[in-house]
Amino acid sequence: VDEFSSFARMPKPVVDAQDLSETVRQAVFLMRVGHPEVTFEAELPASLPARFDRRLISQALTNILKNAAEAIEGVPEAERGRGLIRVSAKAEGEDLIIDVIDNGAGLPVEKRSRLLEPYVTTREKGTGLGLAIVGKIMEEHGGSIELNDSPHGRGAWIRLRMRADGQPAGAGGAQPVPEAGRA
């Protein structure tokens, strides 16, 4: 119900100057506490200044990290070994990129792109809204989400891409906001 409500009334981003490295560090720290059985490795620059809605990007990253941890839990114990989630962030041109690579169950090959649609899930108890919410958040930040196979064997590689200036795709800079009562 909470995820449906979040998706149904997704707020517009409140974009201001933030540090993406710090935002990623905090999300990874919280997931380490919540999933001590998984090793989290973070490769982040000391600082990655950008313009974004910290709350929404934190939500998107938390959804991706939660999915990664659940994908690791989905691997039979005899095959699992130590769960590992690698997180990195970097600037690439005008974009910021966050990569999350896990050694979990991986993503289905068929209809993979449908995982970004609302109510589509591969999990028995999933709502199918987590990746749809992430996709919407990234779109609102002029970015995207990519679903790939891990380059390290079993697992998934999720890439979040957004504009460093906080502008939605196709925006030519800050747009004037009409005053209250004016159209």
Side-chain angles (χ1 to χ4, degrees):
V1 172
D2 287 343
E3 281 189 352
F4 176 76
S5 291
S6 292
F7 185 70
R9 56 181 167 75
M10 181 72 66
K12 288 287 183 200
V14 178
V15 174
D16 57 0
Q18 300 288 340
D19 182 350
L20 185 62
S21 289
E22 185 56 30
T23 300
V24 172
R25 256 186 225 98
Q26 288 178 5
V28 169
F29 173 79
L30 291 174
M31 293 305 291
R32 276 185 183 130
V33 170
H35 296 274
E37 71 285 359
V38 176
T39 298
F40 288 84
E41 294 179 356
E43 185 178 320
L44 306 167
S47 179
L48 198 51
R51 295 184 53 76
F52 59 93
D53 183 314
R54 183 182 191 112
R55 184 180 60 80
L56 290 177
I57 294 301
S58 291
Q59 178 183 357
L61 186 55
T62 298
N63 282 359
I64 296 300
L65 293 170
K66 180 177 171 280
N67 284 354
E70 290 173 357
I72 290 167
E73 292 170 5
V75 175
E77 247 184 272
E79 302 170 26
R80 188 179 310 158
R82 181 75 179 167
L84 174 63
I85 299 173
R86 294 181 174 123
V87 183
S88 64
K90 65 182 178 181
E92 188 175 274
E94 294 182 0
D95 291 340
L96 299 174
I97 295 174
I98 303 169
D99 285 320
V100 178
I101 301 172
D102 67 64
N103 65 350
L107 299 165
V109 176
E110 286 188 34
K111 301 179 183 177
R112 182 176 289 183
S113 63
R114 290 207 57 224
L115 294 175
L116 299 173
E117 296 174 16
Y119 310 112
V120 176
T121 184
T122 59
R123 298 212 175 92
E124 194 174 303
K125 296 181 182 180
T127 63
L129 289 172
L131 288 177
I133 289 170
V134 173
K136 180 71 171 160
I137 290 170
M138 299 317 295
E139 182 182 306
E140 292 284 336
H141 283 80
S144 61
I145 176 174
E146 298 170 25
L147 308 176
N148 304 295
D149 294 322
S150 170
H152 308 294
R154 182 187 70 223
W157 171 15
I158 309 299
R159 174 166 277 186
L160 304 178
R161 180 184 296 269
M162 65 185 197
R163 294 203 19 171
D165 63 8
Q167 294 298 313
Q175 302 295 317
V177 177
E179 293 176 22
R182 291 177 53 191

